[in-house]
Structures are given as C-alpha cells and as structure tokens.
Amino acid sequence: MELMVLLNALVTRLLFVLHSLIGVWRVTAVKKEPKYWLLALLNLLLCLETGLTLKFKQGRGYKWFSPAIFLYLICIVPSLWLLEIHHGTQYCGNEPGAVQVNVSNQDFNQSRDSSHGSEGTDHHIIQTAKVFVNQLSTICETVWTLALHQTFLLLLVVGRWLLPIGVEITRDQLSQLLLMFVGTAADILEFASETLDIEDVRKNYALINAILAVWTWSMLQFPLDLAVQHIGCKSSTPARRIPSLLLCRYSAELWNIGVSLFIQDGPFFIVRSILMGHFRIFNQMLVFFTAKNILVVTLQLYRLAVITLDFHATVLQKSRKGEVCCCPCEPYEARAHATGHQENEMKEFVAFPPKEEPQAPSEDH
C-alpha cells in the first residue's frame, strides 16, 4: 500500500469525524441535554468503513460510489437538522450574521497568572483552550449553524479531492467532478440559507421539515461519480435495444440531466414555486432564483431532446448503410466482434487465393 494513499485516506476521514463531532457538540450545547452525544456513535460506521477500505481496497475508492462521503452525510446531516429546527433565539448583535468573538487579554492573563506558579506550561495551555472554547460558545446559534453549513459543503468538495481515487476514474474525470461539486454546493447553500431565513417559513414547522427534506435529498448526489463516467457496455449483440445503446453512449450526460431535473433544480423549483404560489411569499432573491431554476430545467430538457435526436439520426444513418451500430464506450473486443467476420473473410481470401482454371488448348497447338 502506498504511503500517500494511506495518508490521504486516513486524514480525509479524520476531518469528516472531527467536523461531525463539532456538529454534535453544538447540538448538545444548544439543546442542553447530554443525550445528544449519542449522535457521535454514528461515526463508528465511518471507522468501520475505513478499516474495510484499507483491508480490501488498499485505501482506494470504489467505482461510481464513495462510501466515505455517504457515511459522512449520515454523521453530520442529523446534527444540522436539529440545529435548523431549533433555530436559536440568541441575539446576534446589531448586524445580522455578525460574528463577535471577544477573547479579552484579561482572561488570558488571569489564566496565565493562575498557572504560572505551580501548574506550569501544560496547565496554561489547557486554561487558554478553555477560555477560547467558552468564547466560541458565546457566538449566536444562527451564525454557528451557517458556519457548519458552509464548512460542511466545503469539506465535501475538499474531501472528495483528497480521497484516493480508484482505478476506474481518471484524474481528468475527477477534476470535472470537483468543478461540478463546487457549483452544486453553492446552489445548495443558497437554497437552504435563502429559504430558511424567511420569517414566514420559520413560523411553519411542516414547511421547515419539507425544505430540509429537499435539502437532504439534494445531498445524495455527492457520493456518486456517474456524472463523469460511462457505464460499461456489454458485448455487442445483433438484438441490442435502442434504449440500452443510448444509455451506453450518453450515460454521463443523461445522469447529469437526471440529477438536475430530479435531485437539484427540479425540487428546488417546486419548493420555491410553493412558497410563492401557496404561501404568498415574495422577495427579490426568491423570484430571481426561481427564474434561474426554470431556465436550468428548460435547458436540460433541450439538451435531452438534442441528444435523443442526434442519436436517432446516427442510428438511422448507420442502418441505411447496413453498418453495425456499436457503442463508442465499448471495449475494443466488443466492437471488433461485430465486424470481425468481415476481416476474417478478407484474410481467408488473401491466404487461400482461388485456384486457376486450366486453360483450353489453343488452335495453333
């Protein structure tokens, strides 16, 4: 096992565990009930996955799916749900979202003076850490929740970058996936913060749960890598069905369209439309992002129509020429099997030329 692969696998999962523990700590501090520390037991799943990955995959990833990302979602999403449902009433200062951390020099000096005589440097460090943690606890709950949302989405992208890739995905595909994740994370963060910050939404408990359910549903695209990978095509057969061939050729594009329509932009558009149509909630940003979702859904449907028409024209053209329509993502052996009989016939013709017929005797002879 390579040292760098092992290091990346362990460090990334350690970051996931630490971030999820911070989320559990915030829930316990907000709810003021120690029983919420039981949420930390979810990290045992991530530890188990780490051991299995190191044993069977030598630290490398899997094809099409990342168990570490999925288990990280399981560990952190319940904490974010509880924080959003609680939505603390702590005062955040004159400006909304203002972060005020006042760690005074007097507190540090007092902790240093109390530890200078007998306890030594170690006690001083512990006292300083306690003072810093106490000051962090004074930050209002809404700022903490927003910070956890932001770091959560950033850690998803960075973690996917640091996780060792499997043999099935290339560096080029990984770079494409990371760029898609950056845009996706920004849209998801905007959806959660923009809708849940509306005062009328906060008064409706069922609406909060619906928005969080859609937000959780949109997170399921992060463990999957199908948006940049073609599915494997089976051996070419004369009775190949058209839908299977279409899925084989455009699997990455079709998955990208499906994610946009059914996991992200489609559900986001439905939620925002309900807010404006049924609950009569209007503001400038809500209208803008609703229009943006409509535009994205329309363009994705247009892209799907273009792919279908182009594929239909290609199949029709090849059928008229009598050619075998093979998938470009098939292995070479599968494509060669479809046309190999023609090459074999040509080789046999060259290897065994036709026998010359005896010439008839001429009249002069």
Side-chain angles (χ1 to χ4, degrees):
M1 185 186 302
E2 300 179 3
L3 179 61
M4 188 58 65
V5 173
L6 177 62
L7 185 62
N8 288 340
L10 293 178
V11 169
T12 306
R13 289 167 172 84
L14 180 61
L15 291 176
F16 290 164
V17 171
L18 290 178
H19 189 262
S20 64
L21 290 178
I22 293 175
V24 175
W25 167 66
R26 284 308 306 163
V27 172
T28 306
V30 167
K31 296 290 187 179
K32 301 185 184 305
E33 295 183 14
K35 67 179 182 180
Y36 287 100
W37 278 110
L38 295 176
L39 292 173
L41 296 178
L42 293 174
N43 291 284
L44 295 178
L45 297 174
L46 192 57
C47 297
L48 179 61
E49 183 272 338
T50 303
L52 294 177
T53 302
L54 294 178
K55 181 178 180 180
F56 296 104
K57 298 289 292 184
Q58 288 75 45
R60 297 193 175 274
Y62 295 81
K63 184 178 182 181
W64 300 341
F65 183 74
S66 176
I69 298 292
F70 180 72
L71 294 177
Y72 173 52
L73 294 178
I74 294 178
C75 294
I76 189 63
V77 166
S79 300
L80 294 177
W81 265 72
L82 293 173
L83 291 174
E84 289 291 353
I85 291 175
H86 183 270
H87 189 65
T89 58
Q90 188 176 354
Y91 183 62
C92 288
N94 295 328
E95 297 181 0
V99 181
Q100 299 178 352
V101 183
N102 298 322
V103 183
S104 62
N105 293 328
Q106 182 179 0
D107 295 333
F108 283 109
N109 291 332
Q110 290 178 356
S111 64
R112 182 181 60 185
D113 294 338
S114 61
S115 60
H116 180 72
S118 58
E119 299 295 336
T121 306
D122 294 338
H123 184 71
H124 167 62
I125 295 176
I126 294 175
Q127 290 296 329
T128 303
K130 288 182 179 180
V131 172
F132 184 72
V133 171
N134 290 333
Q135 292 295 329
L136 286 179
S137 301
T138 61
I139 301 176
C140 60
E141 299 167 13
T142 55
V143 175
W144 260 111
T145 304
L146 180 60
L148 286 175
H149 271 285
Q150 294 170 341
T151 53
F152 166 51
L153 292 171
L154 290 176
L155 194 56
L156 280 176
V157 179
V158 176
R160 189 63 188 88
W161 190 7
L162 293 178
L163 283 174
I165 61 176
V167 296
E168 296 85 2
I169 183 173
T170 63
R171 291 290 179 183
D172 178 65
Q173 293 174 338
L174 179 61
S175 62
Q176 297 178 30
L177 187 67
L178 293 175
L179 289 174
M180 292 174 56
F181 279 177
V182 170
T184 300
D187 290 340
I188 293 175
L189 178 62
E190 181 278 326
F191 169 76
S193 60
E194 181 258 335
T195 54
L196 293 175
D197 285 344
I198 301 174
E199 184 178 357
D200 294 335
V201 173
R202 284 295 176 186
K203 298 177 181 179
N204 193 327
Y205 185 77
L207 193 56
I208 293 176
N209 288 332
I211 293 175
L212 290 176
V214 174
W215 170 77
T216 305
W217 171 252
S218 65
M219 289 293 175
L220 296 180
Q221 58 186 300
F222 285 99
L224 300 174
D225 302 336
L226 293 176
V228 294
Q229 294 191 60
H230 288 283
I231 63 173
C233 294
K234 298 180 181 180
S235 300
S236 177
T237 57
R240 178 184 293 277
R241 296 182 178 180
I242 296 299
S244 300
L245 185 59
L246 176 64
L247 182 61
C248 169
R249 178 172 297 183
Y250 299 104
S251 60
E253 291 83 354
L254 293 177
W255 171 252
N256 193 10
I257 294 173
V259 166
S260 178
L261 294 179
F262 301 106
I263 298 183
Q264 186 170 330
D265 290 285
F268 289 179
F269 166 68
I270 293 174
V271 171
R272 287 173 172 138
S273 299
I274 293 175
L275 291 178
M276 293 190 301
H278 182 71
F279 294 95
R280 303 298 179 183
I281 300 174
F282 294 94
N283 59 57
Q284 184 178 2
M285 297 305 296
L286 184 61
V287 173
F288 170 77
F289 283 107
T290 303
K292 179 235 179 189
N293 292 140
I294 295 175
L295 182 60
V296 172
V297 170
T298 304
L299 291 177
Q300 293 291 1
L301 292 175
Y302 175 73
R303 173 63 178 165
L304 180 62
V306 169
I307 289 176
T308 305
L309 293 176
D310 179 70
F311 175 77
H312 179 72
T314 303
V315 172
L316 185 61
Q317 182 181 4
K318 288 184 176 293
S319 63
R320 289 178 179 176
K321 293 181 179 181
E323 299 178 359
V324 179
C325 184
C326 294
C327 177
C329 58
E330 286 180 341
Y332 174 77
E333 292 80 8
R335 295 197 302 268
H337 179 73
T339 56
H341 64 280
Q342 299 179 358
E343 298 179 358
N344 293 335
E345 291 179 357
M346 182 61 67
K347 291 179 181 179
E348 292 177 358
F349 179 79
V350 175
F352 303 98
K355 297 181 180 180
E356 298 182 357
E357 297 180 358
Q359 298 180 355
S362 61
E363 297 179 357
D364 297 338
H365 180 72

